[in-house]
Amino acid sequence: MSLQKRIEKAVQTLKDFQNAVDDAKHQTGDILISISDFIDDDLDDLVEELNEISSEVGDVEEKLEVLGIALDELKEGSESV
């Protein structure tokens, strides 16, 4: 291969590399925007939903504790009869 062809090939390789870097730069921005949108919107909704679920689980745990105490009292009452 002649020196001119080798230089032309190197120039084309560098142009291809530059285009790939430009594409990656644009994609990186899109990815960061998507992550930011998720954090701003979807993550807030998810955190809010998890807080609601946590509250409901706490309510259920309190009710289970009350029912457990009532069950123990019933057992004690039936053993004394």
Side-chain angles (χ1 to χ4, degrees):
M1 182 182 297
S2 72
L3 185 56
Q4 182 181 1
K5 291 287 185 189
R6 291 171 64 190
I7 292 171
E8 288 173 358
K9 183 177 179 185
V11 167
Q12 185 59 46
T13 300
L14 289 173
K15 284 182 180 179
D16 292 345
F17 178 71
Q18 185 179 27
N19 289 335
V21 168
D22 286 344
D23 289 346
K25 184 171 68 173
H26 293 295
Q27 289 175 345
T28 301
D30 292 343
I31 291 169
L32 291 175
I33 289 170
S34 294
I35 291 170
S36 176
D37 288 346
F38 171 75
I39 290 171
D40 286 344
D41 301 329
D42 298 337
L43 192 58
D44 286 343
D45 293 343
L46 181 60
V47 167
E48 184 177 319
E49 187 171 338
L50 288 173
N51 281 332
E52 290 176 16
I53 291 170
S54 174
S55 177
E56 290 176 14
V57 166
D59 292 346
V60 169
E61 287 176 336
E62 288 176 13
K63 290 176 184 177
L64 283 174
E65 186 176 335
V66 169
L67 288 173
I69 292 169
L71 183 61
D72 289 342
E73 290 173 356
L74 284 173
K75 286 180 183 177
E76 288 174 8
S78 66
E79 288 175 357
S80 62
V81 174

